[in-house]
Amino acid sequence: MAAIDAAGKYRCLLLDGVTGSGKTEVYLGAIAAVLARGRQALVLVPEIALTPQLVERFRARLSGRIAVLHSGLTGAERLNAWLDARDGRADVVIGTRSAVFAPLARPGLIVVDEEHDASYKQHEGFRYSARDLAVVRAHAAGVPLVLGSATPSLESLANVAAGRYTRLALTHRAAAGAAAPRMELIDVRRAALDEGLSAPLLARMRAQLDAGAQVLLFLNRRGWAPVLYCCDCGWLAECARCDARYTVHRATRRLICHHCGTEHRLPARCPKCGGTTLTGLGLGTERIEQALERHFPGIGIARIDRDTTRRKGSLEAQLDAVRSGAARLLIGTQMLAKGHDFPDVGLVGIVDADQGLFGADFRSAERLAQLVVQVAGRAGRAGRPGTVAIQTHHPEHPLFMRLLRGDYAAIAAELLAERRAARLPPFGHQALLRAEATDAEAPAAFLTAVATLAEPLLGDGHVQVHGPVPAPMERRAGRYRAQLLFEAGARAPLHALLDALAPMLRAGCRRHGWCAGRSMSIRRICIEHA
């Protein structure tokens, strides 16, 4: 904390602390010192779910006025918080990613909690990374920046290694007697699963409940089942606007596309053959909840996902039930995986750990490791021994072997070495150009023209171009998407290419009518940096 207090000018500090090590206490101490100097602090959190408990804790410890900014507020509430920050009436501003733009009359400190979290990146509309903008803003304001995480991003760790960031380490849990949870794998390759739950996992859950502990089950998929299937003809309920299938929500008897939001009533018969043998394939949190009600009757259950926390105050009510002990079984998505302090959780069960093993994104392994370590950190936080049981069909996977050793730093070092060998970020630089249109052929045709324009600007191989190719989900919300990737070993030639290309694209649209007649607007062309 002294290192943060003494900064007084721009420094980027990576607070690398294991789960339960007291990172929030460090934030509070640093903010209190900033407020004592008459300055303001900005605190970013990745999820709305983390905001209420953080605000409650800050209000109990800090004497200054606190303003809150996130999308769950009314327009009037957001405006008032914005004005309080701008006019200096708010001493501390706490918010999600858009709060990075909040004006501060007397900036003194910026904190980005869970800095690794992908929620800080805005992928639609105006695209930005709140974490990276916080770095730029702190530098411009001449104030220290604290990036906190138990699982720092590989980019931040690379910046520490390069001397751009200073690392502050918290290596032990703060509570007396609290230790890192023990991790174990449950091989489910030949196991008979009951709604995704293996007999060994159920036995461990019962033992913990009998000992008076709480149990948390993690599954990063809401709804009843991700697929509705007809056993008679093989029909699948597919979204008409996306290359995706509808998710079954049995409680509301709805089919919902989680990509575009389209909803339909859950059919009683197959629309293709008229059969009645419709079944849900796969697992969601709703389905796990009903299985828990059957296996553990009379035990209070809290399901925390976007479906159960939509109404104002519903999340706080669920968390209160957990903390009071009224709910002893917790089931949820990533909303439960980070930042929450549940001192009575003795077992964390990860129902399906294989979801992130084979993703197309080169960050898949990093994000899976972060997610597992974060959700595992909910166990054993207050002296009660903690266990993490990971169900998997791939128990020999190298990533799981690394996770069993419980050393995220070693995992990150190995992943960084792989990135360096493959010249992927943060050791290489990329820009992705994506075009969208209602005409299926237009995006690829447009990006082919872009690649032709870019050819003389590639700088003797300093920048490489790949594509165009269809996006991983080619059709979403009725629009077809294609992408073009530029790669470079350094940022300068990539930025020079993009700076030269942007006016050429606008001129080309006016001259050749790329946007007209193809239902595509230049505003729908996005450039994403990695």
Side-chain angles (χ1 to χ4, degrees):
M1 186 167 65
I4 300 173
D5 292 347
K9 58 183 180 180
Y10 172 74
R11 287 176 69 194
C12 191
L13 304 159
L14 178 64
L15 183 60
D16 183 357
V18 299
T19 54
S21 59
K23 291 184 291 296
T24 304
E25 287 295 318
V26 175
Y27 303 154
L28 285 165
I31 292 170
V34 167
L35 300 189
R37 294 197 295 268
R39 315 293 282 183
Q40 294 169 289
L42 171 64
V43 181
L44 300 182
V45 294
E47 301 256 6
I48 295 175
L50 297 177
T51 310
Q53 65 171 16
L54 198 65
V55 171
E56 180 182 343
R57 192 165 173 184
F58 275 40
R59 282 180 174 152
R61 294 282 300 277
L62 300 173
S63 59
R65 181 174 176 180
I66 296 174
V68 179
L69 274 169
H70 57 69
S71 60
L73 303 174
T74 65
E77 288 171 330
R78 287 198 299 271
L79 175 61
N80 289 335
W82 188 274
L83 295 176
D84 286 345
R86 186 197 66 181
D87 298 337
R89 290 187 294 271
D91 300 291
V92 181
V93 179
I94 301 176
T96 49
R97 63 178 174 240
S98 61
V100 75
F101 299 107
L104 298 178
R106 307 178 309 279
L109 174 69
I110 300 177
V111 175
V112 182
D113 191 28
E114 308 291 359
E115 65 86 27
H116 68 278
D117 200 287
S119 300
Y120 282 123
K121 198 164 188 179
Q122 171 72 30
H123 293 281
E124 299 296 332
F126 175 61
R127 293 164 174 83
Y128 64 93
S129 164
R131 180 198 62 194
D132 295 347
L133 280 178
V135 176
V136 174
R137 184 168 184 186
H139 184 271
V143 300
L145 169 71
V146 180
L147 304 176
S149 179
T151 53
S153 65
L154 298 190
E155 288 83 2
S156 293
L157 291 172
N159 280 324
V160 168
R164 288 186 285 269
Y165 295 177
T166 300
R167 178 175 176 266
L168 306 176
L170 299 173
T171 56
H172 296 88
R173 289 191 158 183
R182 179 176 60 88
M183 290 199 181
E184 60 180 10
L185 297 177
I186 297 178
D187 185 353
V188 296
R189 285 176 293 187
R190 289 173 291 276
L193 301 179
D194 185 346
E195 303 289 27
L197 304 175
S198 65
L201 178 59
L202 287 168
R204 287 162 175 75
M205 293 171 64
R206 192 170 300 280
Q208 290 285 340
L209 292 172
D210 290 344
Q214 291 175 316
V215 174
L216 186 156
L217 292 186
F218 173 77
L219 178 65
N220 204 23
R221 187 188 294 125
R222 61 190 175 95
W224 168 265
V227 178
L228 183 66
Y229 171 74
C230 176
C231 297
D232 292 336
C233 69
W235 170 82
L236 298 173
E238 296 180 320
C239 178
R241 305 181 69 226
C242 304
D243 291 332
R245 298 183 178 95
Y246 286 115
T247 297
V248 181
H249 288 254
R250 180 172 283 190
T252 56
R253 302 200 59 79
R254 306 292 289 175
L255 292 176
I256 303 176
C257 176
H258 287 181
H259 298 280
C260 70
T262 302
E263 295 189 25
H264 295 285
R265 185 186 300 275
L266 187 64
R269 294 179 174 274
C270 173
K272 183 177 180 181
C273 72
T276 58
T277 55
L278 295 176
T279 186
L281 300 180
L283 298 169
T285 50
E286 185 184 334
R287 192 168 192 167
I288 296 294
E289 180 186 25
Q290 295 192 16
L292 295 179
E293 290 172 347
R294 176 165 44 85
H295 282 285
F296 304 99
I299 300 294
I301 300 174
R303 174 163 64 93
I304 299 180
D305 55 30
R306 283 180 56 192
D307 296 323
T308 62
T309 58
R310 291 185 187 278
R311 290 192 299 271
K312 194 167 186 176
S314 57
L315 174 62
E316 291 84 347
Q318 294 261 43
L319 294 176
D320 287 344
V322 174
R323 296 192 182 100
S324 68
R328 296 178 57 206
L329 279 171
L330 293 66
I331 170 70
T333 59
Q334 64 179 356
M335 291 178 69
L336 274 179
K338 53 213 169 191
H340 297 288
D341 186 17
F342 302 131
D344 289 329
V345 170
L347 171 68
V348 167
I350 300 178
V351 177
D352 183 4
D354 299 337
Q355 292 183 33
L357 285 180
F358 307 107
D361 189 342
F362 66 85
R363 292 188 173 94
S364 292
E366 175 191 4
R367 288 176 176 162
L368 177 59
Q370 289 166 339
L371 195 57
V372 170
V373 172
Q374 289 284 341
V375 73
R378 303 314 107 198
R381 293 174 71 94
R384 182 186 294 273
T387 302
V388 181
I390 304 173
Q391 291 192 155
T392 176
H393 290 85
H394 304 278
E396 299 93 359
H397 194 282
L399 183 59
F400 288 139
M401 295 296 101
R402 298 167 186 163
L403 286 169
L404 285 182
R405 297 196 296 267
D407 187 353
Y408 178 78
I411 295 173
E414 291 183 26
L415 292 176
L416 276 169
E418 293 174 4
R419 296 271 188 93
R420 186 188 295 274
R423 293 187 293 181
L424 288 170
F427 303 105
H429 304 281
Q430 299 178 338
L432 183 72
L433 277 68
R434 193 179 75 216
E436 300 181 1
T438 55
D439 180 343
E441 305 299 325
F446 174 82
L447 291 177
T448 298
V450 172
T452 302
L453 283 176
E455 183 110 18
L457 308 173
L458 298 182
D460 297 327
H462 294 302
V463 180
Q464 295 182 328
V465 59
H466 306 282
V469 296
M473 180 181 289
E474 183 176 10
R475 184 170 53 108
R476 182 176 182 182
R479 300 183 70 86
Y480 293 86
R481 308 185 304 168
Q483 57 194 39
L484 186 69
L485 180 68
F486 294 108
E487 287 188 312
R491 287 188 185 275
L494 190 59
H495 287 179
L497 168 66
L498 296 175
D499 289 343
L501 196 56
M504 296 172 67
L505 297 184
R506 296 188 185 94
C509 277
R510 289 192 296 269
R511 185 180 309 116
H512 302 294
W514 286 333
C515 302
R518 291 184 179 271
S519 304
M520 180 167 62
S521 166
I522 191 67
R523 291 173 296 177
R524 303 291 297 198
I525 309 304
C526 82
I527 300 176
E528 299 177 353
H529 290 274

